[in-house]
Amino acid sequence: MSSTTEALPQPHRRDIAPAKLGGRGAPGHGGGGHGYATGHGEGGPASKRVIVGYGFWIFLLSDIVMFSCFFAAHAVLQTATAGGPSGRALFDPSRVAIETGCLLASSFTCGLSAVATEARSRLWTQLCLLVTGLLGFAFLTLEAKEFAGMVAAGNGPQRSAFLSSFFAVVGCHGLHVSAGLLWLGTMMAQIYVKGFRPNIVRRLLCFNLFWHALDIIWVALFTIVYLVGEGR
Amino acid sequence: MTPAKEEINADDVAPGVMEAADHSIRDGIQGYLIGLALAIMLTVASFYIVHTPLIWGPGIPVALVVLAIAQIGVHLVFFLHITTAPDNTNNVLALAFGVLIVALVIGGSLWIMSHLNQNMLPMDQMTRMQR
Amino acid sequence: MHLLGKLSWNAIPWDQPIPLVAGAVVFVALFAVVAWTILKGHLPYLWREWITSVDHKRIGVMYTLLALVMLVRGFVDAIMMRSQQAIAFRAPGYLPPEHYNQIFSAHGTIMIFFAAMPLMIGLMNFVVPLQLGVRDVAFPTLNATSFWLTATGALLVNISLVVGEFDPAGWLPYPPLSELRYSPGVGVDYYLWALLISGVGTLMTGINFVTTILKIRAPGMSYLRMTIFCWTALAANLMIVAAFPVLTATLAMLTLDRYLGFHFFTNAAGGNMMMFINLIWAWGHPEVYILALPSFGVFSEVISTFSGKPLFGYRSMVAATMFICLVSFTVWLHHFFTMGAGADVNGIFGIATSIIAVGTGVKIYNWLFTMYGGRIRFATPMLWAMGFLVTFTIGGMTGVLLAVPPADFQLHNSLFLVAHFHNVLISGVLFAGFAGITYWFPKAFGFRLHEGWGKAAFWFSLIGFYVTFMPLYVAGLLGMTRRLQHYEVAAWHPWMLVAAFGIVIMTCALACQVTQIVVSIRRRDELRDETGDPWDGRSLEWATASPPPAFNFAVLPDVRGEEPYQAIKRRAIETQQLSSEAQYEPIELPRNSPTGFIAAFFSTITGFALIWHIWWMVGLGLAAAYAVFVWFAWRDVEEYEIPADAVARADRDRRRARAEWLDHHERAGEPA
């Protein structure tokens, strides 16, 4: 084959040897005999790992679009303090720094768990996931304390539109972290009971993507909400 | 077309899947360590410049946003393994679409809402007038 | 705290006969259907083959059925509104204002979210995997869950008919009217939770189909060999993925305002109600194209098939589709030109709105040139398509008028606007839905719909549409605003009477549609489609049997160019034989699962509990939903296998029918 133009019939590329690490689970259920494939065009359905990973990637992007609305609301309502406190009076940079550290470290250990999963080491995978979960829990505790303190001082979300948007955007991230912890616990139980089956490895891939995406959103959060907000 | 090139074109990876074929545990951990180090540097820089006199005051938010974008890039490359390789085309295109929508929603909302405040009395002033 | 939250006997509107009687009729009908199913012993079959099905074809059929049922419900609302406005000239009419408000809100909500969306998603579900030449969508169980969550939303909206009230603040409940202070009832809560829950389902559909179209296609099916329907489905689902999170976030903010005393959109404490209007339309305009693009896809398929020609300007069609997909995210402000933005903002969004019409214009010309020089068969789907071409062009032009900000300042919120969007949505989405249903019905059930009744339904719909909505344009230009429960202006009254007469014609169309289905089912033997290709189709869905086997294709098709099935047929006619029989292999298919149904059951409970503030039930519902999720994740066997000889048997039946067709074709001596 010397050409890839549309007009010429292409031989199927299903027989190309898989080269990429981890790219090959079982053939997709749509795959029949044509498991090996590309996303670009011609080779038939992609492998199940690619399908699942890509689908979850699309979900994460939609989640980020949802966050962008809360960010937009926060940006618009940032100055609407209605006589209440502004960010400068409320935020504690050292607490935010510790929260950031927790989440960054948990993202790192989560990555390590992926390496351990690739090496099919159950012990290290579980250990890394456990540390990830503990760091995530520490983050949540700090955030809950911050929220509780603000509410106790009369600066809850009902105080002003600015605080409504603050609690919504930070709380939405916190809810995601909580859901992530629930998922993490479920995954650890699944690894314990079932081991590294292909479907569980795929779910671990999705969990990794989820957790890293939460860290990305936190980067935007601590920058826009806390650091820029503190300057006001 | 050389076989090697065809192979790259023909393949496709899921986001989050590490790239190299000769990948080992050491390489994997190393990648995450580099990512962690870069992320820590950028985070520390962000927290440092908030109160620094080194940067002109109004420039600080801009600097913070630039640092955040850099850090998001670091996370995408070292943690999520999004690359510019051909097998990542779909992942990158999806990401670009997402970023475009985020930019439109946030940018558009800010622009529109600032304009509404220009031509209409802001809410607090309106309620003040009603008193 | 009350055990049942805000729920009490007073929630049922004992003093209002209309919802009570309507609710009773629906309840009796529902009860009769359920009782009949159980008594006849159909329940196990329904459970096994439909309720727990993860087959995209079954799910597509169920989506379409849901859409048609809700379409009738929304149509009843329409009849009530038109008749109210016909008699409420210097009179109170028969609908009290608070009830009338609920009706126009319910009409909009139902028609957009529970009729138009399921109609398009149903067609996509059924057709896209077949046209791509594959066996299912990317995530079959998720697909079933999407459907059942949509059904949950529809159910909640219908429960509001008799338990409590529905949203009285419009189909997009603008604050501050929709805030707790001004709408203290549960109506807005019904709206919010119905849409939050069904929105999750729609979002998952979007993810599912983007992944399916980008990652699961038959060998050789490159992007530029996909049908236009697949392209429009891709664009629509990309837009779902990008736009529905905006809807969810916006409604979540309103929910926080109403439930937890937040101040996003309130008058007090610095809230900004314009932010709701801004965000909701950042979803709302893409939504218009989420509905319109798949419709354009249906018409592309129909016009090409019934003109006997490949689609004119395929690549320009693809480009126009993706152009609309992106530009539709940059025009949302034209829904609120009058709300105080300056000339720069209004000007730029007005221009963007006019530009997006270019993409649609390209499509209109492509369809016209496809028909030009073609051998057109005036079958029912083609009639819908031609009715669409004329009607949609009129609607598009009034839309361009509305895109001009100074004109919009006159026409905003008038019946002119109402006429415009009904003009584009009825001709665009509804006609496409009927064209698509008539076109793919034989594929789904193995027999065609009756042509005579279908054509009658088309003509009644087309004429009924013009008689109903052209008067609304005039009334709008005469200054009549939308959503009037009664009015005093004599000049408007005759137009309202004409519009009410139009609704009578539309009702005849509905009767024809129902008759068409009944007659077709009774005469199904003479309408049978033996070959799997009743319309001389051009794309891959016609290459398999009607109805297709569970696995769609015994062997995945081998795609060598555009219009793959047309190529296969031409080859068969030239060589006078079918392609050689393939080596059959066992096929693995996803197992059925009740996950979607059970998850939807618990989300209905959770949604209902949230609406009525029954907090213990909320906790119960959420915990149960999580338990279902874990239970599903725990199962060991995800797929079942169809043995090779069963596949071979099914495919040989199909080949026999095709061989007969080939013989017949040879004798008739027709050119390909």
Side-chain angles (χ1 to χ4, degrees):
Chain A
M1 271 333 284
S2 60
S3 165
T4 51
T5 50
E6 290 298 325
L8 291 172
Q10 290 283 298
H12 303 153
R13 289 160 176 176
R14 73 184 83 126
D15 45 3
I16 288 167
K20 292 289 182 292
L21 178 131
R24 306 290 155 232
H29 58 78
H34 309 276
Y36 307 125
T38 90
H40 300 285
E42 331 234 310
S47 78
K48 204 150 183 173
R49 178 158 186 168
V50 170
I51 293 171
V52 171
Y54 191 73
F56 200 76
W57 182 233
I58 299 286
F59 162 74
L60 286 179
L61 292 172
S62 79
D63 217 32
I64 287 172
V65 172
M66 191 193 72
F67 267 104
S68 77
C69 296
F70 284 103
F71 273 107
H74 181 265
V76 167
L77 299 173
Q78 205 168 25
T79 51
T81 50
S86 67
R88 187 193 282 277
L90 290 171
F91 301 148
D92 173 6
S94 56
R95 191 207 304 269
V96 180
I98 299 171
E99 285 179 342
T100 308
C102 283
L103 219 50
L104 189 54
S106 82
S107 221
F108 176 68
T109 53
C110 188
L112 292 187
S113 87
V115 177
T117 307
E118 290 301 344
R120 295 293 182 270
S121 158
R122 254 203 230 200
L123 176 70
W124 282 104
T125 306
Q126 293 280 44
L127 213 58
C128 291
L129 288 177
L130 184 68
V131 177
T132 307
L134 288 177
L135 286 165
F137 189 74
F139 167 86
L140 269 185
T141 317
L142 284 170
E143 192 169 288
K145 270 190 177 166
E146 182 191 20
F147 278 17
M150 285 168 76
V151 172
N155 296 322
Q158 293 88 353
R159 178 65 190 83
S160 69
F162 156 67
L163 280 167
S164 293
S165 69
F166 166 80
F167 273 89
V169 69
V170 179
C172 187
H173 177 264
L175 272 182
H176 276 74
V177 175
S178 316
L181 288 183
L182 201 61
W183 186 6
L184 181 92
T186 315
M187 283 320 302
M188 286 174 69
Q190 285 211 317
I191 299 171
Y192 181 75
V193 176
K194 293 169 182 280
F196 291 119
R197 297 191 184 176
N199 59 353
I200 289 175
V201 174
R202 287 196 298 269
R203 283 174 203 160
L204 282 172
L205 171 73
C206 292
F207 176 76
N208 261 278
L209 288 171
F210 184 70
W211 202 257
H212 294 313
L214 287 189
D215 206 13
I216 286 183
I217 290 168
W218 180 254
V219 171
L221 262 178
F222 82 69
T223 304
I224 303 290
V225 175
Y226 286 106
L227 295 184
V228 176
E230 206 193 337
R232 276 166 201 276
Chain B
M1 183 182 276
T2 62
K5 197 176 170 197
E6 187 171 272
E7 203 167 289
I8 290 168
N9 278 336
D11 217 330
D12 190 15
V13 292
V17 173
M18 274 164 281
E19 200 47 43
D22 54 348
H23 159 84
S24 70
I25 298 177
R26 216 178 123 243
D27 295 338
I29 296 177
Q30 202 175 352
Y32 283 107
L33 272 174
I34 297 172
L36 181 69
L38 287 172
I40 288 177
M41 267 162 53
L42 290 163
T43 306
V44 169
S46 289
F47 276 87
Y48 176 72
I49 65 163
V50 178
H51 298 297
T52 179
L54 291 177
I55 299 178
W56 178 57
I60 289 178
V62 180
L64 284 171
V65 169
V66 169
L67 284 170
I69 290 173
Q71 192 173 348
I72 288 172
V74 167
H75 282 240
L76 282 174
V77 172
F78 289 97
F79 292 168
L80 286 156
H81 309 292
I82 300 298
T83 67
T84 51
D87 52 8
N88 248 303
T89 312
N90 266 314
N91 304 337
V92 174
L93 274 178
L95 179 67
F97 182 65
V99 170
L100 175 72
I101 301 300
V102 167
L104 284 173
V105 168
I106 296 182
S109 294
L110 280 174
W111 188 43
I112 291 168
M113 296 307 289
S114 71
H115 246 249
L116 290 176
N117 286 340
Q118 224 164 57
N119 278 13
M120 292 175 78
L121 214 47
M123 225 9 119
D124 49 335
Q125 287 180 35
M126 207 173 326
T127 38
R128 211 174 298 147
M129 279 172 70
Q130 283 165 352
R131 284 203 191 108
Chain C
M1 198 179 82
H2 201 281
L3 190 62
L4 287 178
K6 288 157 64 175
L7 188 61
S8 72
W9 279 114
N10 297 331
I12 297 169
W14 300 111
D15 53 333
Q16 289 176 40
I18 295 170
L20 215 54
V21 170
V25 168
V26 171
F27 185 75
V28 168
L30 211 64
F31 185 77
V33 170
V34 172
W36 179 81
T37 317
I38 294 172
L39 288 179
K40 284 275 190 174
H42 291 315
L43 197 59
Y45 164 78
L46 267 187
W47 176 262
R48 211 174 48 241
E49 297 289 326
W50 292 89
I51 295 174
T52 62
S53 178
V54 297
D55 182 338
H56 71 96
K57 303 181 285 296
R58 295 274 162 88
I59 293 170
V61 170
M62 289 193 288
Y63 259 118
T64 312
L65 200 63
L66 173 74
L68 293 178
V69 170
M70 294 308 280
L71 185 67
V72 174
R73 162 79 213 274
F75 184 64
V76 172
D77 289 334
I79 294 175
M80 291 168 83
M81 281 188 287
R82 285 286 121 249
S83 50
Q84 166 76 13
Q85 288 200 330
I87 60 178
F89 167 60
R90 289 184 187 147
Y94 68 104
L95 292 172
E98 66 278 6
H99 189 194
Y100 185 75
N101 291 351
Q102 292 180 40
I103 288 177
F104 68 64
S105 308
H107 174 75
T109 310
I110 286 174
M111 285 304 201
I112 295 291
F113 293 100
F114 301 113
M117 285 296 283
L119 195 56
M120 285 304 130
I121 292 176
L123 289 177
M124 286 194 277
N125 252 297
F126 184 80
V127 178
V128 165
L130 287 170
Q131 287 196 337
L132 294 175
V134 293
R135 300 208 164 107
D136 210 329
V137 293
F139 309 108
T141 313
L142 194 70
N143 199 15
T145 312
S146 297
F147 168 72
W148 287 108
L149 287 181
T150 307
T152 294
L155 183 63
L156 284 176
V157 171
N158 280 297
I159 290 176
S160 77
L161 193 63
V162 278
V163 187
E165 53 160 16
F166 191 64
D167 158 34
W171 80 280
L172 292 182
Y174 277 12
L177 178 58
S178 57
E179 292 284 359
L180 197 59
R181 188 165 169 197
Y182 305 103
S183 297
V186 291
V188 180
D189 301 327
Y190 264 112
Y191 173 92
L192 289 172
W193 291 109
L195 289 201
L196 284 170
I197 291 171
S198 69
V200 173
T202 309
L203 176 65
M204 294 194 306
T205 299
I207 294 168
N208 211 339
F209 275 85
V210 170
T211 313
T212 305
I213 297 170
L214 292 182
K215 296 291 178 186
I216 307 185
R217 300 192 301 278
M221 179 68 86
S222 62
Y223 290 135
L224 285 173
R225 289 174 184 172
M226 297 196 306
T227 60
I228 287 294
F229 185 70
C230 288
W231 269 105
T232 54
L234 172 65
N237 285 293
L238 276 173
M239 287 157 74
I240 287 179
V241 167
F244 267 75
V246 180
L247 177 72
T248 304
T250 314
L251 296 182
M253 288 177 206
L254 185 58
T255 311
L256 287 171
D257 275 7
R258 286 180 63 88
Y259 278 73
L260 297 175
F262 281 44
H263 289 289
F264 278 108
F265 312 125
T266 55
N267 284 338
N272 194 335
M273 67 193 82
M274 293 311 300
M275 192 58 193
F276 178 89
I277 294 159
N278 168 55
L279 283 178
I280 201 88
W281 285 115
W283 158 81
H285 200 82
E287 164 69 9
V288 172
Y289 284 96
I290 291 170
L291 293 172
L293 281 180
S295 311
F296 294 167
V298 173
F299 289 128
S300 301
E301 303 299 306
V302 165
I303 289 176
S304 160
T305 300
F306 291 98
S307 302
K309 279 173 67 186
L311 195 69
F312 181 90
Y314 171 84
R315 282 172 191 237
S316 66
M317 210 69 152
V318 172
T321 303
M322 296 323 275
F323 170 81
I324 291 175
C325 172
L326 287 180
V327 178
S328 70
F329 282 97
T330 64
V331 298
W332 77 91
L333 181 120
H334 68 219
H335 294 271
F336 49 103
F337 276 144
T338 57
M339 296 195 190
D344 304 356
V345 173
N346 277 358
I348 284 184
F349 279 92
I351 291 167
T353 307
S354 304
I355 286 175
I356 202 169
V358 173
T360 316
V362 168
K363 286 172 174 255
I364 298 274
Y365 282 107
N366 279 341
W367 290 317
L368 290 177
F369 285 126
T370 307
M371 287 163 66
Y372 177 77
R375 195 184 277 192
I376 298 176
R377 287 171 288 157
F378 294 96
T380 314
M382 189 63 180
L383 289 184
W384 288 112
M386 292 167 76
F388 153 80
L389 276 177
V390 177
T391 313
F392 193 84
T393 306
I394 297 172
M397 288 191 291
T398 58
V400 175
L401 285 180
L402 284 165
V404 181
D408 184 76
F409 271 70
Q410 296 303 312
L411 299 169
H412 183 85
N413 240 15
S414 73
L415 281 186
F416 189 90
L417 169 82
V418 173
H420 158 69
F421 69 70
H422 282 88
N423 194 336
V424 281
L425 283 175
I426 289 181
S427 69
V429 181
L430 202 61
F431 284 16
F434 290 138
I437 289 172
T438 324
Y439 183 57
W440 284 303
F441 189 91
K443 184 47 67 184
F445 295 102
F447 59 96
R448 276 172 289 130
L449 285 171
H450 189 272
E451 279 285 294
W453 286 106
K455 284 178 178 164
F458 164 74
W459 286 111
F460 276 122
S461 297
L462 188 76
I463 296 167
F465 163 78
Y466 279 98
V467 178
T468 311
F469 288 100
M470 292 301 143
L472 298 197
Y473 277 123
V474 183
L477 288 173
L478 291 173
M480 185 170 182
T481 50
R482 66 199 289 200
R483 297 172 175 175
L484 289 182
Q485 188 260 344
H486 67 274
Y487 53 94
E488 309 286 322
V489 180
W492 301 342
H493 192 221
W495 300 108
M496 292 302 107
L497 290 175
V498 178
F501 177 65
I503 277 285
V504 175
I505 306 178
M506 294 286 252
T507 313
C508 295
L510 175 68
C512 291
Q513 298 276 16
V514 175
T515 317
Q516 180 193 31
I517 292 173
V518 173
V519 168
S520 308
I521 292 174
R522 296 181 71 136
R523 298 202 203 154
R524 58 186 176 279
D525 284 326
E526 58 190 273
L527 293 167
R528 190 73 65 191
D529 161 35
E530 304 284 357
T531 60
D533 181 22
W535 310 113
D536 190 16
R538 313 175 78 83
S539 44
L540 282 177
E541 74 267 35
W542 308 110
T544 185
S546 293
F551 46 82
N552 288 357
F553 299 95
V555 178
L556 287 199
D558 177 14
V559 179
R560 305 217 184 131
E562 286 171 31
E563 302 200 316
Y565 183 53
Q566 191 67 18
I568 292 172
K569 274 195 285 192
R570 206 175 301 133
R571 218 174 307 143
I573 290 167
E574 275 165 15
T575 58
Q576 284 306 316
Q577 57 185 3
L578 299 175
S579 56
S580 56
E581 197 177 276
Q583 189 72 39
Y584 296 112
E585 285 171 17
I587 293 173
E588 290 209 322
L589 285 180
R591 273 172 65 205
N592 281 358
S593 159
T595 312
F597 185 75
I598 301 176
F601 177 78
F602 286 118
S603 25
T604 309
I605 288 182
T606 312
F608 189 78
L610 281 162
I611 290 162
W612 291 99
H613 296 209
I614 312 173
W615 303 119
W616 61 268
M617 213 203 261
V618 175
L620 201 70
L622 287 177
Y626 174 69
V628 174
F629 168 71
V630 174
W631 167 71
F632 172 67
W634 226 266
R635 68 181 187 167
D636 287 321
V637 188
E638 294 178 329
E639 293 179 335
Y640 72 99
E641 195 178 82
I642 297 178
D645 56 330
V647 176
R649 219 175 310 128
D651 201 44
R652 281 179 193 134
D653 284 348
R654 181 190 67 88
R655 290 176 62 89
R656 203 168 307 121
R658 295 303 293 165
E660 273 169 32
W661 165 83
L662 196 61
D663 278 354
H664 178 79
H665 207 93
E666 191 180 5
R667 279 198 302 278
E670 279 174 22

